[in-house]
């Protein structure tokens, strides 16, 4: 890998086969007889002493064909290679106006490749800004990108934000140092402070108010989520659930009613030492109260969390911890090795959007872990940091920038409630900004949340578009993305399902006056016309309702039982099998 990569993308022009039979003017050749058959991606290090060349084939309409010769060129060799490619592919030898190579773009790095229906695109970083150093590794903020379509026009099939060159930001420093053995001079890292966006889908319906549209009685999705967390972080896994406990109209509480039973169900299969800890605390209620201090309570929770998980530092304890002992030092969790301390386990925090309350809670835990890390390095006398210090102010700014970035991505607005809000020292002008941010987020959640989630699923390749498959916007929930078998049906099963759907549809339409009051358009309203009902029910992912279950019992002589939260709430059956 070449560090401090910068790259230039060249178009490689080759003569069309028709040029073998006739001569053409320069204009005709460039306009109609030349095609860009390849991209050459040339990367070099900051000192321009090492070069690598990546060849990307542009003649494949759907497949990504990349050739890497693995050779590291010096500057002279790279120039000679490009010169030969340029000279050997001109339309006329010595004619400068018809170059075999044409510079397409200059970039700082490669984000990756993404596939859409018309083929692959390459995503390049075209503007960056250095924001940090981690142990000698430079961390950059991506300022701008450019997405370039790879296949050329002759084969095109038409249809009717941080990065580093040498450091893996997708893993914690503990992982990079302990597992990958990366040489590094940095002595500590905020593992606990990372605002993890790991989550599992409890099938929350888009928009407000909160609705749960699918049941998961055996907590299958939650099991996959916590199994992944156990593999990545070890035990204990501590859940801090910050949603409201009491509401006049249930909204946030619905999420707790799904989360807590799932954790309780999973714990019965885990040994006692590996069971998931569940902490429910109504942070919004404490915020409104004048008798309690929110941050004091969070500080107490943070101390208990760090006491159980420990923290990471990759050097032995200094003598100062023995010279100036602290009563809490000997009770810390994690592992102590000859080379330092290893954190085991993680705190998983959530609210509704996992933004404002979550970010503040994670900040308090991170502040606590930072105090222990600085104490371990001999920089402070006690493992405790006061708010009004330069260190904590910088740390708070870091978390607010972090929270704003996540909030803009997930909620469409910046943070509404910040650390200063919960400290109750925010200026009065902040209140008007909070109101505008709240309105912006409400609008975003109600009207554009689904489109934003679709974009994220597409960018992360959770959804990959293919012909003869449903479009992303046709899927009613993410369930179909995380359960691939639901997207693949054999021809026989597809035909059988369609035949059953059509029989039920015909049965309803033949007795429309009786059944129309039982139909449900998905909003609680009935379908108004037979034509509208028919067009919707013929779509493959339209949900059925009580109407279709009643029809199926009469058509096929079967019985359907409807369960909610593991309890049977209704049974559909014909009079013949009513017993």
């Amino acid at each position: 890998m070449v560090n401090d990569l910068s790259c230039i993308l060249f178009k490689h022009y080759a003569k069309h086969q028709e040029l073998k039979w006739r001569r053409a003017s320069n204009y005709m050749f460039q306009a109609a007889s030349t095609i860009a058959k390849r991209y050459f991606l040339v990367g070099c290090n900051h000192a321009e002493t090492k070069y690598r060349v990546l060849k990307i084939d542009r003649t494949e309409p759907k497949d990504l064909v990349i050739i890497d010769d693995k050779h590291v060129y010096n500057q002279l060799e790279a120039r000679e290679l490009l010169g030969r490619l340029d000279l050997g592919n001109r339309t006329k030898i010595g004619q400068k106006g018809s170059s075999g190579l044409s510079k397409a773009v200059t970039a700082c790095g490669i984000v990756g490749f993404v596939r859409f229906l018309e083929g692959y695109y390459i995503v390049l970083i075209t503007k960056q800004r250095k924001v940090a150093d981690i142990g000698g590794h430079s961390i950059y903020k991506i300022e701008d990108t450019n997405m370039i379509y790879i296949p050329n026009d002759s084969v095109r099939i038409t249809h009717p934000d941080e990065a580093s060159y040498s450091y893996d930001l997708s893993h914690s420093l503990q992982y990079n140092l302990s597992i990958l053995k990366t040489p590094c001079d940095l002595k500590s890292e905020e593992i606990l402070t990372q605002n993890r966006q790991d989550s599992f889908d409890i099938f929350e319906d888009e928009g407000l108010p909160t609705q749960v549209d699918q049941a998961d009685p055996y907590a299958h999705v939650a099991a996959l989520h916590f199994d992944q967390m156990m593999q990545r972080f070890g035990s204990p896994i501590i859940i801090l659930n910050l949603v409201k406990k009491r509401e006049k109209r249930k909204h946030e509480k619905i999420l707790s009613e799904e989360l807590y039973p799932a954790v309780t169900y999973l714990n019965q299969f885990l040994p006692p030492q590996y069971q998931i800890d569940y902490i429910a605390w109504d942070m919004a209620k404490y915020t409104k109260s004048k008798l309690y201090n929110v941050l004091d309570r969070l500080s107490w929770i943070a101390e208990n969390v760090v006491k159980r998980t420990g923290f990471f530092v990759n050097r032995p304890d200094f003598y100062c911890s023995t010279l100036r002992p602290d009563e809490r030092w000997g009770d810390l969790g994690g592992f102590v090795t000859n080379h330092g301390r290893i954190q085991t386990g993680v705190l998983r925090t959530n609210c509704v959007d996992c933004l404002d309350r979550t970010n503040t809670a994670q900040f308090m835990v991170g502040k606590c872990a930072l105090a222990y890390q600085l104490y371990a390095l001999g920089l402070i006398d006690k493992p405790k940091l006061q708010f009004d210090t330069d260190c904590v102010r910088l740390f708070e700014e870091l978390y607010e920038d972090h929270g704003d970035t996540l909030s803009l991505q997930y909620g469409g607005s910046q943070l509404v409630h910040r650390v200063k809000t919960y400290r109750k020292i925010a200026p009065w002008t902040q209140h008007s900004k909070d109101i505008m941010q709240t309105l912006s987020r409400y609008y975003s959640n109600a009207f554009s949340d689904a489109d934003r989630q679709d974009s994220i699923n597409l960018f992360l390749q959770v959804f990959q578009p293919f012909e003869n498959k449903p479009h992303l916007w046709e899927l009613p929930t993410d369930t179909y993305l995380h359960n691939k078998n639901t997207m693949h049906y054999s021809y026989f099963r597809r035909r059988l399902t369609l035949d059953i759907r059509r029989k039920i549809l015909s049965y309803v339409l033949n007795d429309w006056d009786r059944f129309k009051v039982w139909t449900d358009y998905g909003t609680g309203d009935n379908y108004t016309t037979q034509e509208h009902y028919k067009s919707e029910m013929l779509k493959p992912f339209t949900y059925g309702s009580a109407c279709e279950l009643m029809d199926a019992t009469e058509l096929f002589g079967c019985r359907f039982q409807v369960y909610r939260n593991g309890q049977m709430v209704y049974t559909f059956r014909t009079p013949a099998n009513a017993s």
Side-chain angles (χ1 to χ4, degrees):
M1 180 177 179
V2 180
N3 293 339
D4 295 329
L5 174 74
S6 61
C7 54
I8 301 177
L9 190 65
F10 289 95
K11 287 182 181 178
H12 175 205
Y13 288 93
K15 293 184 279 292
H16 196 279
Q17 289 185 351
E18 292 181 0
L19 293 177
K20 295 179 179 179
W21 307 107
R22 62 183 176 86
R23 295 171 63 88
S25 66
N26 292 337
Y27 177 78
M28 286 293 296
F29 171 74
Q30 293 177 357
S33 299
T34 15
I35 55 173
K37 296 185 67 174
R38 296 178 186 88
Y39 276 133
F40 285 91
L41 193 66
V42 182
C44 68
N45 62 354
H46 185 70
E48 298 186 1
T49 57
K50 296 180 181 180
Y51 290 79
R52 293 284 295 275
V53 179
L54 203 65
K55 183 168 69 174
I56 306 172
D57 189 1
R58 301 190 65 202
T59 61
E60 290 291 337
K62 291 295 186 68
D63 297 327
L64 182 63
V65 181
I66 301 176
I67 300 173
D68 182 5
D69 60 8
K70 305 295 184 182
H71 182 71
V72 179
Y73 299 86
N74 59 35
Q75 190 178 71
L76 180 60
E77 290 173 336
R79 287 183 178 178
E80 289 179 349
L81 174 63
L82 296 177
R84 289 196 301 270
L85 290 171
D86 180 49
L87 184 63
N89 290 281
R90 290 180 181 175
T91 56
K92 291 183 179 180
I93 301 299
Q95 184 173 343
K96 295 183 179 180
S98 53
S99 174
L101 287 179
S102 173
K103 185 188 293 186
V105 66
T106 300
C108 312
I110 308 170
V111 176
F113 299 85
V114 60
R115 184 186 185 279
F116 297 108
L117 287 176
E118 294 187 2
Y120 278 90
Y121 292 74
I122 182 173
V123 184
L124 299 172
I125 303 170
T126 56
K127 187 178 179 182
Q128 65 179 11
R129 177 169 57 88
K130 186 174 179 179
V131 293
D133 282 296
I134 297 183
H137 300 275
S138 298
I139 308 300
Y140 296 86
K141 182 174 187 259
I142 298 174
E143 298 277 336
D144 199 7
T145 60
N146 190 5
M147 188 165 68
I148 298 175
Y149 182 61
I150 292 176
N152 59 48
D153 292 336
S154 65
V155 297
R156 183 167 187 165
I157 300 175
T158 58
H159 292 75
D161 280 299
E162 281 90 6
S164 175
Y165 298 119
S166 56
Y167 184 80
D168 187 356
L169 288 172
S170 64
H171 286 112
S172 66
L173 183 61
Q174 175 170 298
Y175 178 91
N176 288 337
L177 294 186
S178 304
I179 307 299
L180 302 180
K181 307 297 183 184
T182 305
C184 182
D185 295 326
L186 186 69
K187 305 307 177 186
S188 61
E189 186 216 12
E190 287 297 314
I191 295 179
L192 278 168
T193 65
Q194 295 181 7
N195 190 356
R196 299 284 183 184
Q197 285 300 315
D198 299 324
S199 62
F200 65 92
D201 190 356
I202 58 174
F203 312 120
E204 179 185 353
D205 199 8
E206 304 291 351
L208 297 175
T210 302
Q211 296 179 356
V212 179
D213 58 5
Q214 292 188 45
D216 187 13
Y218 300 106
H220 173 70
V221 179
L224 294 176
H225 167 68
F226 289 115
D227 182 62
Q228 183 191 61
M229 293 193 71
M230 194 78 74
Q231 292 179 23
R232 291 174 62 185
F233 307 112
S235 176
I237 294 177
I238 305 171
I239 298 174
L240 178 57
N241 183 14
L242 302 174
V243 303
K244 297 177 181 178
K245 290 183 178 180
R246 295 182 180 179
E247 298 173 294
K248 293 181 179 179
R249 181 180 179 185
K250 286 201 297 187
H251 167 46
E252 296 187 6
K253 188 178 178 182
I254 296 175
L255 303 178
S256 295
E257 291 175 349
E258 295 293 325
L259 177 59
Y260 180 68
V263 173
T264 304
Y265 178 81
L266 294 176
N267 273 340
Q268 64 181 329
F269 303 106
L270 294 173
Q273 66 271 27
Y274 296 115
Q275 289 191 350
I276 303 166
D277 288 347
Y278 181 86
I279 303 172
W281 181 55
D282 190 341
M283 186 171 172
K285 177 183 176 182
Y286 266 70
T287 304
K288 296 176 182 178
S289 174
K290 296 181 180 180
L291 301 177
Y292 303 103
N293 187 301
V294 173
L295 297 188
D296 286 347
R297 175 68 174 178
L298 285 175
S299 180
W300 180 83
I301 293 174
E303 284 285 348
N304 284 275
V305 168
V306 176
K307 184 177 179 180
R308 295 196 58 192
T309 64
F311 60 92
F312 173 65
V313 60
N314 72 326
R315 67 174 302 156
D317 293 343
F318 282 109
Y319 180 67
C320 61
S321 60
T322 304
L323 187 63
R324 298 190 298 270
D326 187 273
E327 59 182 8
R328 295 167 292 179
W329 190 247
D331 297 331
L332 289 172
F335 289 112
V336 180
T337 68
N338 295 330
H339 304 288
R341 292 175 175 268
I342 299 296
Q343 175 185 327
T344 59
V346 72
L347 174 70
R348 178 200 179 278
T349 311
N350 73 273
C351 49
V352 176
D353 294 321
C354 293
L355 296 175
D356 301 342
R357 285 171 281 181
T358 296
N359 199 63
T360 301
Q362 288 281 353
F363 163 77
M364 291 300 297
V365 178
K367 173 175 168 289
C368 178
L370 178 62
Y372 277 101
Q373 289 171 329
L374 294 177
Y375 177 73
L377 296 175
L379 299 177
I380 56 178
D381 293 337
K382 295 290 182 182
K384 192 173 184 65
L385 290 173
Q386 300 299 325
F387 264 103
D388 296 322
T389 59
D390 291 340
C391 177
V392 174
R393 275 194 290 267
L394 287 172
F395 197 60
E396 183 180 337
E397 289 177 7
L398 174 69
Y399 259 84
E400 289 198 350
D401 290 343
H402 185 215
D404 283 339
T405 302
L406 290 174
S407 185
L408 285 169
Q409 180 180 0
Y410 287 92
S413 70
Q414 292 183 331
L415 288 174
V416 177
H417 302 298
R418 302 172 181 272
V419 176
K420 290 184 178 63
T421 306
Y422 293 104
R423 290 185 67 191
K424 299 182 179 179
I425 61 171
W428 66 270
T429 54
Q430 184 65 35
H431 298 302
S432 59
K433 294 181 180 179
D434 290 348
I435 294 173
M436 295 305 298
Q437 297 288 7
T438 301
L439 293 175
S440 175
R441 185 178 297 178
Y442 182 88
Y443 175 85
S444 179
N445 287 342
F447 299 104
S448 61
D449 185 67
D451 292 335
R452 187 182 298 106
Q453 185 62 52
D454 287 346
S455 301
I456 294 172
N457 288 333
L458 187 63
F459 180 78
L460 297 178
Q461 297 193 38
V462 176
F463 175 84
Q464 297 184 18
F466 290 99
E467 293 183 1
N468 303 321
K469 286 188 177 180
H471 298 297
L472 180 59
W473 54 86
E474 293 178 342
L475 303 179
T477 73
D478 286 359
T479 306
Y480 299 99
L481 300 180
H482 300 289
N483 297 273
K484 301 298 183 182
N485 59 319
T486 61
M487 300 286 288
H488 301 279
Y489 290 101
S490 65
Y491 177 78
F492 173 76
R493 284 189 64 187
R494 189 161 57 245
R495 290 294 306 172
L496 181 62
T497 302
L498 186 59
D499 288 344
I500 293 175
R501 181 181 286 264
R502 285 175 174 171
K503 287 181 180 179
I504 293 176
L505 176 63
S506 178
Y507 193 82
V508 173
L509 295 177
N510 288 336
D511 199 356
W512 178 249
D513 291 337
R514 179 164 71 99
F515 285 116
K516 68 179 180 180
V517 295
W518 295 98
T519 61
D520 188 346
Y521 185 38
T523 60
D525 299 324
N526 304 131
Y527 286 93
T528 55
T529 65
Q530 291 176 284
E531 292 75 14
H532 188 200
Y533 176 77
K534 181 178 180 180
S535 65
E536 290 296 321
M537 293 306 298
L538 285 177
K539 295 179 180 179
F541 293 101
T542 299
Y543 282 130
S545 61
C547 172
E548 287 71 40
L549 290 176
M550 291 173 60
D551 305 334
T553 58
E554 295 182 14
L555 262 175
F556 306 109
C558 53
R559 180 176 63 180
F560 294 97
Q561 293 178 333
V562 181
Y563 287 81
R564 185 174 186 179
N565 296 329
Q567 301 293 324
M568 188 179 69
V569 295
Y570 201 83
T571 300
F572 292 92
R573 62 184 120 199
T574 59
N577 60 11
S579 59

